[in-house]
């Protein structure tokens, strides 16, 4: 009977260790998934910021081109008007 009790106690101990092992693996898996999700979220935020900066740069370049074209047109208009003024003298 002592042997049966020892065997039952051993089985209970092994079952408890198995449950603890499952609980640990479950918690460790959740922690790993959380870390992975955090890393993916940070990478996505960095990628988004990179696109925002790219688009801002493209807008700035477009605005600069428009500004230069406007200055060029104004210069041509001024030179044209100045030429006409000189010819009219």
């Amino acid at each position: 009977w002592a042997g049966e009790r020892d065997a039952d106690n051993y089985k209970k101990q092994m079952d408890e260790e198995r449950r603890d092992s499952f609980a640990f693996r479950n918690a460790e898996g959740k922690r790993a998934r959380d870390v992975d999700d955090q890393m993916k979220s940070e990478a996505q935020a960095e990628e988004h910021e990179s696109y925002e900066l790219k688009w801002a740069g493209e807008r700035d370049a477009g605005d600069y081109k428009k500004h230069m074209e406007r200055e060029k047109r104004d210069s041509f208009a001024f030179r044209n008007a100045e030429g006409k003024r000189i010819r009219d003298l």
Side-chain angles (χ1 to χ4, degrees):
W1 300 268
E4 288 178 6
R5 257 193 323 258
D6 288 344
D8 287 340
N9 288 339
Y10 178 75
K11 281 184 179 181
K12 287 179 185 176
Q13 180 184 357
M14 289 295 107
D15 288 343
E16 184 177 342
E17 286 180 11
R18 187 167 185 243
R19 282 191 301 273
D20 290 345
S21 175
F22 284 143
F24 173 77
R25 286 189 283 169
N26 188 31
E28 185 64 20
K30 181 177 181 345
R31 187 195 64 77
R33 286 189 303 276
D34 289 345
V35 167
D36 189 46
D37 290 345
Q38 179 67 27
M39 289 173 61
K40 285 179 183 176
S41 177
E42 289 173 2
Q44 186 178 19
E46 287 177 12
E47 183 179 10
H48 177 73
E49 184 178 358
S50 175
Y51 277 118
E52 288 289 335
L53 291 171
K54 176 186 172 212
W55 294 330
E58 289 174 352
R59 277 192 304 274
D60 289 346
D63 292 345
Y64 178 74
K65 279 183 171 180
K66 288 178 185 177
H67 175 74
M68 295 309 293
E69 286 293 323
R70 190 175 321 114
E71 282 189 4
K72 189 175 182 181
R73 282 193 306 273
D74 291 347
S75 174
F76 284 147
F78 173 77
R79 289 182 0 207
N80 191 24
E82 186 67 14
K84 182 173 179 353
R85 187 185 67 80
I86 290 172
R87 284 189 305 272
D88 288 344
L89 288 179

